[in-house]
Amino acid sequence: MMNWMLLGPELHCLLMGGVFLGLSMVRPNPARDYLTAMVFATVVVGFGLAGMKLQGDLFAAAYRVDLYSQVFKILIGLGLFLVVSISSGMKGIDERYHPEYYLLLATCTLAMMMMASAVHLVALFIALELSSYSLYILVSMRKGRGIGIEGGIKYFFVGASASAVMLMGMALIYGATRAFHIAELMEILPSVLNQPEVIIGLMFTLGGFFFKLAVFPFHFWAPDVYETAADQVAAYIATASKVAAVAILMRMAAVSGGGSKYLIDVLAILAIVSMTVGNLAAIVQKDLKRLLAYSSIAHAGYILIGILSMSQSGYAGTIFYVLGVVVMKFTCFLVVVKGASGGRNIEVSHLAGLHRRSPILALALMLALFGLAGIPPTIGFTGKLLIFTAAVEQGHLPLVIIAMINVVISLYYYLLILKAAYVEEPAETLPPLEVSPALKVLAIALITVMLVAGIYPQPLIELARAAALALI
Amino acid sequence: MPVEYAKFPYLTTILLSCIAGLLIIVFMPRERKTEIKVVSAVFSGITLVLSIYLYFAYDKQAGGLQFVEKVLWVKSLGIHYFNAVDGFSLPMLLLTGIVFFTGVLTMWELENRVKEFFALLFLLVSGVFGLFMSLDLFFIFIWYDVSLFPMYLLIAIWGSTRKEYGAMKLTLYLLAGSALILPAIVYLVVQSGMNTFDLTALMAPGTFTPGQQRFAFLLFYIGFGILAGVWPFHTWSPVGHVAAPTSVSMIHAGVLMKIGAFGVLRLGIFLCPEGWHYWAHLMAVLATVGIVYGALAGLVQTDIKYVIGYSSVSHMGIVGLGLATVTLDGLNGAVFQMFAHGIMTALFFSSVGYIYDRTHTKAIDELGGLSQIMPKASSFLIVAALTGIGVPCLASFWGELVVFIAAFKTYPLCGTLAVCALVISALFILRVVQRTCYGPKNEQFAHLPDISFGLSIPRIILVSVIVLFGFYPALLFDMIQTASVPLFGRLP
């Protein structure tokens, strides 16, 4: 007898998809769609929290439910909930397509949760493709003159190439080990890790996940997709999608045990290049979403530092950091969504006068920016501290120093955003932003999380360490 | 060392009164400007009273760490909320209390975005207090950054003269410093193998090899040295001070630059004494260059605040020179100078601030004959100038004297150069006084009122402190001795 609670969040995502499939066939009603989606998203998060301590293997041990997967499912569900909560009155996507939008969000979330639990290479691949295809369509749904299509096609081409590379890698690994199960691979791989085809296979496989995470050299899609997708879709890519990518990346990295020197060197180089490219390119961006895309690329670099430490503290730091990224990036997108007028993209200069138009959003933005820059006492700093400590434990001090230099570079453009929001005044006086009470509560909750996790991170650190232990 | 826990958490109370002040201001309506200022004055006053109380309640006979508060914070990383004071941190707390309180009073006339200004000021000062009293590396780093990042907005919103450029330059420089400090902290914690961020535990002799100490000390020295205005990392300092509004300049030059020197002392010298010995010559050279360079650069400035900014570089060089001697006298003198310079430069900026608020100019050439127009305001400026020169019976004199005596013994050449530079600095400071306070009146400003009694209160407090410690330096030296003597006792 199978315990259905094990699949609680997944089944509700599936149900949500089914319901919206039905709703897409009747007359559109944005308010009804939004409320339905909110209910489902809340339930998904609720089931995620309720099922946190569950454990079990399903489907011929291709699907594992443990603390590691459940923590990631909560984060992914949280991403869904947050993105849905800013989808009311969405202007970037035509009202006719709102049910399809929620439908694809549901399938994508389902796929990402599967990514967190999949422990079989084929299951991993299927989950990854399902989430990618949902996102290709979501990106293309942007209203107006085919800009969404352009972004969608770009995303699709890079994604399809990455998938091909990944399949090739999986084939190489299988060829060398005759194993598809992560558990078997964990036993066999460390002993054959010095064979070139295994290293290449592993790198190619990781390449597919690098695409999701927007790590150099698979990062080209990110700025264009963020820019052309609807704000909410971009927010989803920046939060939930990143969480799933990290979940699967860590799962594969942990397969190699302590890692080989080649693998770690390659990861270190990718981390350095990602951070540097992301931060340097972000400096010159005018469009706020493009800027956030480049900052995501830079953050992918920091995340890689945690993963390449290949230790419990490194994985724990990464999990903590990902939570931070979700909260901080989402806060930025909250401002993007509320600040953009009429479904158009928001530029950094459009934030002028935000501190008058909505003090609470300006405050939340300030904390999110400082958090992204890794300045205490915010969640972003604690995450960086954990990652850096783990890296230094493994003797990667030069990498940490390079990362800190990058932090200073990134601070420049975060401060430019802050300057726009707090120092500059708009040319003509703009009316206060209309922020509904529910969103104010959300903003206060985000501020609280960012601060409390920065000042008193103990419970979250313990949770992250326990989750990381389940991985290795 | 034996640790006795505090019966009442005085130190946390200081922090909490900063945070309470911050929260109350955040929830006050922004139109009630006077009430916001009163709240700020009250809560900053509480911190001042508490720091004065602690200064005199500290048992100098017993020495060591007192008023200890320690709570385990993050178990898996060995982070403690660990506050305590010793003979080094108490003068700094007192300095912070005085400058904060007088800084708030100095800004009484502020009208633009009052609420945000005082909220950010409280945030900044809570970081400063936290840093001086914390003995856990994690918290020290947190407080360090908390004391820096409000600076950006404080300067960019309320500043003058290229404020956005100055704010950005200052913030990036100072956080570049923290980019060196954090790896150094993490490196030491990991290398110790003790899984703790507790400074007193990591201080144990033999924890780190000489090589590790040399490496980490260099990172600490450069990282904190940027904030302390060590040449050649000082360029943010004059630009930032000029751009900042008056009380921010006061706190910044008066207290924040001391954080830099204090960080070198607390983290660098406490944890890596071997590194201190090793890099002492480098420190001496950089400090001497800073003293001479600051004095020469001050000589040619046309803006009063630039003059003070460069004099800060020069005076902080004296602190650096004192630390570089690796002698008891040098260390005592350096800490004394930190305190004295903090008060002096606060008075300097605060008196210039009044003049700027009235005349709207800081150009030396446009001012003149101020002692006839506003005799009281210019007398404050003159006292600050005389303290800056190091006139006997004013606080700075003792710090400079002790440092120079120590420097002559250890580095005769550096000591000689530094004393020569002092003559130059006397020249450039007197030049400012002569051109602004004396000489022909600028008729344009002849109608301006002199400083009111209310606004002169903060300046009077600062002058009294300068005179008090000028006449009775033992009050401070005895306190510093309680910490510096044991420190040298520990050294190999």
Side-chain angles (χ1 to χ4, degrees), chain A residues 243-440:
Chain A
V243 174
V246 171
I248 191 169
L249 194 54
M250 265 201 286
R251 182 82 83 183
M252 275 315 281
V255 164
S256 64
S260 77
K261 195 181 168 310
Y262 303 112
L263 186 62
I264 291 175
D265 284 351
V266 171
L267 288 178
I269 290 167
L270 292 184
I272 293 171
V273 179
S274 284
M275 290 185 290
T276 316
V277 166
N279 281 328
L280 290 180
I283 289 179
V284 295
Q285 300 306 320
K286 301 261 185 302
D287 185 305
L288 185 51
K289 282 197 291 174
R290 274 187 88 84
L291 190 153
L292 288 172
Y294 280 109
S295 114
S296 283
I297 297 170
H299 278 95
Y302 304 134
I303 287 172
L304 276 190
I305 296 179
I307 293 177
L308 68 84
S309 302
M310 305 264 178
S311 62
Q312 189 201 355
S313 49
Y315 296 137
T318 311
I319 296 172
F320 189 96
Y321 196 75
V322 170
L323 167 68
V325 166
V326 169
V327 177
M328 298 180 299
K329 271 278 150 64
F330 176 77
T331 311
C332 294
F333 273 99
L334 180 63
V335 175
V336 167
V337 168
K338 295 313 290 181
S341 50
R344 281 194 301 277
N345 274 4
I346 184 170
E347 290 190 4
V348 175
S349 57
H350 294 168
L351 290 172
L354 185 70
H355 71 97
R356 267 184 224 288
R357 300 180 67 203
S358 173
I360 183 94
L361 282 187
L363 180 63
L365 180 69
M366 173 161 81
L367 280 172
L369 293 174
F370 281 133
L372 287 170
I375 291 177
T378 56
I379 189 167
F381 165 70
T382 316
K384 281 209 174 75
L385 179 75
L386 291 174
I387 286 181
F388 291 168
T389 311
V392 173
E393 275 169 8
Q394 304 299 320
H396 302 304
L397 185 67
L399 195 55
V400 170
I401 293 180
I402 294 174
M404 283 306 289
I405 293 170
N406 263 287
V407 165
V408 179
I409 299 175
S410 72
L411 194 68
Y412 175 70
Y413 59 84
Y414 292 129
L415 283 179
L416 287 183
I417 306 179
L418 192 68
K419 185 177 99 177
Y422 267 92
V423 182
E424 284 166 6
E425 295 294 341
E428 71 246 43
T429 317
L430 295 170
L433 280 180
E434 285 178 22
V435 184
S436 67
L439 280 187
K440 274 188 186 160

Side-chain angles (χ1 to χ4, degrees), chain A residues 355-356 359 363 366-367 370 374-377 381-382 384-386 388-390 392-394 397 400-401 404-405 407-409 411-413 415-416 418-419 421-425 454-458 461-462 465, chain B residues 30 72-77 79 112-113 116 120 138-139 141-143 145-146 149-150 152-153 156-157 163-164 167-168 171-173 175-180 182-184 186-187 189-191 195 197 215 219:
Chain A
H355 71 97
R356 267 184 224 288
L363 180 63
M366 173 161 81
L367 280 172
F370 281 133
I375 291 177
F381 165 70
T382 316
K384 281 209 174 75
L385 179 75
L386 291 174
F388 291 168
T389 311
V392 173
E393 275 169 8
Q394 304 299 320
L397 185 67
V400 170
I401 293 180
M404 283 306 289
I405 293 170
V407 165
V408 179
I409 299 175
L411 194 68
Y412 175 70
Y413 59 84
L415 283 179
L416 287 183
L418 192 68
K419 185 177 99 177
Y422 267 92
V423 182
E424 284 166 6
E425 295 294 341
I455 295 168
Y456 187 67
Q458 159 86 5
I461 290 179
E462 293 305 321
R465 289 182 73 89
Chain B
R30 60 176 63 224
L72 186 61
W73 201 255
V74 179
K75 192 160 167 249
S76 55
L77 292 175
I79 294 171
N112 175 33
R113 294 169 77 175
E116 286 151 299
L120 285 169
F138 174 81
F139 276 96
F141 188 78
I142 287 204
W143 293 125
D145 272 14
V146 169
F149 71 78
Y152 178 78
L153 289 175
I157 299 176
K163 55 185 183 178
E164 285 167 13
M168 183 63 89
T171 317
L172 290 185
Y173 259 77
L175 287 162
S178 79
L180 297 176
L182 184 65
V186 172
Y187 175 76
V189 169
V190 170
Q191 293 299 332
N195 193 34
F197 280 75
F215 174 67
L219 290 184

Side-chain angles (χ1 to χ4, degrees), chain B residues 10 19 22 27 55 109 159 219 226 264 280 313 335 337 348 371 404 406 427 461:
Chain B
Y10 292 103
I19 292 165
L22 168 70
F27 287 104
Y55 193 88
E109 291 184 319
L219 290 184
I226 293 177
V264 173
V313 173
V335 179
Q337 169 72 0
F348 225 143
S371 60
F404 286 143
L427 186 65
I461 296 175

